[in-house]
Amino acid sequence: MQATILIIDDEKKLNDLLSRIIGLEGFRVIQAYNGKDGIKLLEQQDVLVVLSDVKLPDANGVDLVKTIKAKKPYVEVINLTAYGTINDGVQAIKNGAFNYIVKGDDNDKIIPLLNQAVEKAQLQQNAFNADKKVSGKFSFSQIIGQSKSIVEAVDLARKVAATDTTVLLLGETGTGKEVFASAIHYESQRRQMPFVAINCSSFTGELLESELFGYKAGAFTGAVKDKKGLFEEAHHGSIFLDEIGEMSLELQAKLLRVLESKTFIKLGDTQTTKVNIRIMAATNRDLQKEAEEGKFRLDLFYRLSVFTIALPSLNERKEDIELLAKYYLKFFTDKAGRSVKMSDEFLNLLKRHQWKGNIRELKNVIERSVILAEDSLTLDTLPPQFNIQNVDSNSLDLQSIEKQHIGKVLTYTKGNKTETARLLGIGLTTLYRKIDEYGL
């Protein structure tokens, strides 16, 4: 595909001459004779490089570089001038110009410069498009809901995303705290750098310390080589500490130092390591109460809670259940390559249910229902706790319901025990015991 070059110059003869020369090199050329028309063409066309005169009838070409970069950051600009000055040249480069050359004196430089600018712009365009794709996947647009509480939470998150402020996300398990954290990162100035997330409850104190801060070889038995910690992995990016309330008081002191000085000392090291990171944390606990009771460092709590966002539970935003259910229905039917509808009875029961596991629980319910459904999500495809009032009176005992449900999942997985256990959320040994017990 030909690279498109935009020439902005009010001298028509020179504009036409440059156009012919550049066109003969295999580029596609479009022309404008003033800044306004040039910007319009830039917005309408897939331009990679702009050749712009410095003195235009309605604009200064050096200043125009900023406008071009603001609209399409990957586009490269080469300024052309009949009377070059050092000040203009310096300012053009500061504004983001690829180069600044004098007309006539540097004609032999235009084509080589153009090839270099095109190569750089193509790489930047690829990175820009990839970044947009990733950012879109993790942006606030992926947070589903129209209720007042979720809209307010998103609005707060959008505002803090533009800053480098530490954020504390509060909410029950399954309310989407990590989704918010990643959206804040991918809509911040750090979006092109790493986003690292860790659940602090998944590790013991010593293991969590080595995961976060790393260690030097010989720091303990088994430490045969240096290891980078997650704070180093997240350098220039963001780190998300989920379930921060599970962190030991000793480790909290070390985290406080990172927040205050952006430095820490690895296990087994004597040198200080410096990092540039944004810290976000989350918890389903009342950290302030725990801090006042001495179970959490009060000074750390105040440093973490500079900007706090409370996420509503699903039971507090039931008007969003239909939107979420339809989103996950489409997600899982697309994944399975199936066409499945949702009955009104099914949706009404979702709205009446008390969601202890919040959005995570709803997602799991929809996934299981899609697996069990033939052509529609109905009461029969829901887990037993949802539709016990609809079970035949002769099989109201829990064992009958459980046997029926396990049988359906086994049928779906074509007898794959490992997959069946995963979908049921039970251990493989438990599944084998149930199969033997129920004669399945």
Side-chain angles (χ1 to χ4, degrees):
M1 191 173 174
Q2 287 179 310
T4 299
I5 313 299
L6 168 61
I7 302 173
I8 309 175
D9 197 318
D10 60 322
E11 293 182 48
K12 190 173 186 309
K13 287 185 178 179
L14 180 61
N15 198 324
D16 290 344
L17 176 62
L18 282 173
S19 180
R20 283 197 299 275
I21 293 170
I22 293 168
L24 288 170
E25 293 295 322
F27 296 110
R28 175 175 174 263
V29 184
I30 54 176
Q31 299 168 266
Y33 303 102
N34 58 61
K36 183 181 178 181
D37 290 344
I39 294 299
K40 190 179 292 184
L41 284 171
L42 178 79
E43 292 173 337
Q44 295 170 348
Q45 305 271 348
D46 186 18
V47 174
L48 279 179
V49 177
V50 175
L51 289 174
S52 174
D53 188 15
V54 169
K55 291 187 177 181
L56 296 167
D58 59 347
N60 181 295
V62 172
D63 295 335
L64 201 64
V65 176
K66 278 187 177 180
T67 306
I68 292 167
K69 286 288 188 179
K71 291 185 178 296
K72 291 189 176 181
Y74 56 85
V75 169
E76 289 299 334
V77 185
I78 298 172
N79 275 138
L80 304 171
T81 180
Y83 308 99
T85 68
I86 293 173
N87 286 342
D88 270 357
V90 169
Q91 191 57 51
I93 301 303
K94 280 185 177 179
N95 289 353
F98 183 78
N99 214 318
Y100 175 93
I101 61 176
V102 178
K103 296 177 182 177
D105 294 343
D106 292 331
N107 284 346
D108 57 330
K109 290 184 179 180
I110 288 178
I111 297 304
L113 269 178
L114 197 57
N115 281 309
Q116 292 169 24
V118 166
E119 186 177 352
K120 184 179 178 185
Q122 285 173 332
L123 290 172
Q124 290 174 164
Q125 186 183 42
N126 291 338
F128 180 79
N129 290 337
D131 182 49
K132 277 181 68 178
K133 187 176 180 180
V134 171
S135 298
K137 184 179 179 181
F138 297 104
S139 69
F140 290 114
S141 62
Q142 297 302 304
I143 297 173
I144 300 159
Q146 297 175 349
S147 60
K148 183 181 177 183
S149 56
I150 199 67
V151 168
E152 287 177 349
V154 169
D155 186 50
L156 286 172
R158 283 186 190 278
K159 288 176 180 175
V160 79
T163 73
D164 229 12
T165 303
T166 301
V167 179
L168 179 62
L169 295 159
L170 304 176
E172 296 177 6
T173 299
T175 50
K177 297 187 286 292
E178 186 170 343
V179 173
F180 265 77
S182 64
I184 289 170
H185 170 77
Y186 284 106
E187 294 209 8
S188 75
Q189 292 182 345
R190 296 176 180 264
R191 67 177 67 89
Q192 292 182 330
M193 304 311 289
F195 172 74
V196 177
I198 183 171
N199 189 317
C200 298
S201 66
S202 301
F203 301 88
T204 62
E206 288 183 359
L207 275 176
L208 182 58
E209 182 174 359
S210 66
E211 284 296 315
L212 290 174
F213 301 105
Y215 52 77
K216 297 293 286 183
F220 52 85
T221 304
V224 294
K225 61 180 181 178
D226 293 356
K227 178 190 174 182
K228 265 189 177 184
L230 294 182
F231 281 115
E232 280 186 280
E233 295 289 351
H235 189 46
H236 292 301
S238 307
I239 189 166
F240 173 58
L241 306 172
D242 200 5
E243 303 298 345
I244 189 74
E246 301 290 337
M247 187 178 285
S248 69
L249 290 170
E250 184 179 324
L251 200 49
Q252 288 174 32
K254 206 163 182 178
L255 175 59
L256 183 63
R257 178 177 178 175
V258 179
L259 280 163
E260 289 176 340
S261 66
K262 303 295 186 195
T263 63
F264 61 89
I265 299 174
K266 295 181 182 183
L267 286 168
D269 201 357
T270 56
Q271 301 296 315
T272 297
T273 300
K274 190 172 181 64
V275 287
N276 176 0
I277 52 172
R278 180 185 198 163
I279 294 176
M280 291 181 274
T283 183
N284 56 9
R285 296 184 177 188
D286 186 341
L287 276 194
Q288 185 167 5
K289 183 181 177 183
E290 294 200 3
E292 290 167 353
E293 293 173 351
K295 297 176 183 176
F296 194 86
R297 289 186 65 110
L298 191 60
D299 48 3
L300 178 59
F301 168 72
Y302 286 130
R303 289 305 302 265
L304 289 173
S305 59
V306 174
F307 197 95
T308 301
I309 303 174
L311 304 189
S313 68
L314 189 54
N315 295 319
E316 294 172 311
R317 46 181 290 222
K318 289 209 166 185
E319 59 265 54
D320 291 333
I321 288 175
E322 183 172 352
L323 284 172
L324 287 161
K326 288 180 176 178
Y327 171 83
Y328 286 121
L329 174 61
K330 185 178 186 308
F331 176 83
F332 288 117
T333 51
D334 286 352
K335 186 177 178 182
R338 300 178 60 200
S339 177
V340 178
K341 296 178 181 179
M342 187 186 304
S343 70
D344 291 339
E345 293 86 358
F346 180 94
L347 182 57
N348 289 334
L349 206 53
L350 293 185
K351 291 177 179 178
R352 292 202 301 270
H353 182 65
Q354 288 299 305
W355 297 96
K356 294 180 181 178
N358 293 290
I359 299 171
R360 189 177 296 140
E361 182 188 357
L362 174 62
K363 179 182 177 181
N364 292 342
V365 165
I366 299 297
E367 182 180 11
R368 290 189 183 194
S369 293
V370 168
I371 289 168
L372 297 173
E374 293 182 7
D375 56 10
S376 180
L377 304 189
T378 65
L379 304 186
D380 291 336
T381 64
L382 284 165
Q385 65 267 30
F386 277 84
N387 61 344
I388 191 163
Q389 68 272 30
N390 296 290
V391 178
D392 185 273
S393 59
N394 294 321
S395 58
L396 275 174
D397 63 287
L398 187 59
Q399 286 187 325
S400 298
I401 297 167
E402 188 176 58
K403 177 181 178 181
Q404 181 184 28
H405 188 59
I406 292 173
K408 283 185 176 181
V409 179
L410 277 168
T411 301
Y412 172 78
T413 63
K414 296 182 174 62
N416 186 319
K417 310 295 191 301
T418 303
E419 180 66 5
T420 298
R422 185 190 73 80
L423 293 169
L424 290 170
I426 61 176
L428 191 57
T429 54
T430 302
L431 175 62
Y432 275 109
R433 182 169 53 79
K434 295 287 184 184
I435 290 172
D436 184 59
E437 182 182 341
Y438 297 137
L440 293 170

